[in-house]
Amino acid sequence: VRDYIHVVDLARGHVCAIRKLETGCGLFICNLGTGHGYSVLDIVKAFEKVNAVKVPYKIEARRPGDIAECWADPAKAKELLGWTAQKNLEDMCRDAWRWQTQNPNGYAD
């Protein structure tokens, strides 16, 4: 279980942090995340739903050393930066697939 975040939300959070730094506030540390954990199976099911594609998968044991659950507490980012994640898991899956299908070879040189 991990806290997946949309790249646009992550970028927005960084912009908010830069704007905060411009006020001369000094060093601060905030977690940027949704505050909600999703399993890999949650991701697969959401991806299949929003993109109408079948994702083949196999259930395996967790890798040695992997922690079971890890997600952010974005409360400080909301308090200090006025930032919260706006995109949800389905947005992430939809946008990732759209980008990949429009850019099958990645970014052009």
Side-chain angles (χ1 to χ4, degrees), residues 16-18 20-21 25-30 76 80-81:
C16 289
I18 290 167
K20 178 73 171 173
L21 286 171
C25 66
L27 176 68
F28 62 94
I29 298 170
C30 295
K76 191 172 177 183
L80 291 180
L81 307 176

Side-chain angles (χ1 to χ4, degrees), residues 25-80:
C25 66
L27 176 68
F28 62 94
I29 298 170
C30 295
N31 287 317
L32 298 179
T34 65
H36 181 79
Y38 297 101
S39 70
V40 174
L41 193 55
D42 290 334
I43 300 290
V44 169
K45 296 301 181 187
F47 193 93
E48 289 179 335
K49 176 183 172 189
V50 300
N51 296 306
V53 296
K54 184 72 177 146
V55 176
Y57 63 90
K58 182 168 52 167
I59 305 292
E60 297 281 348
R62 191 168 56 235
R63 296 173 300 190
D66 273 356
I67 59 172
E69 299 177 352
C70 181
W71 59 88
D73 178 357
K76 191 172 177 183
K78 183 175 183 177
E79 175 189 336
L80 291 180

Side-chain angles (χ1 to χ4, degrees), residues 58-109:
K58 182 168 52 167
I59 305 292
E60 297 281 348
R62 191 168 56 235
R63 296 173 300 190
D66 273 356
I67 59 172
E69 299 177 352
C70 181
W71 59 88
D73 178 357
K76 191 172 177 183
K78 183 175 183 177
E79 175 189 336
L80 291 180
L81 307 176
W83 177 91
T84 57
Q86 302 297 309
K87 307 264 186 188
N88 64 29
L89 183 59
E90 290 184 358
D91 295 327
M92 292 179 230
C93 293
R94 185 182 305 106
D95 292 346
W97 185 241
R98 180 174 49 243
W99 189 91
Q100 184 61 49
T101 56
Q102 292 175 355
N103 302 277
N105 299 314
Y107 286 108
D109 292 351

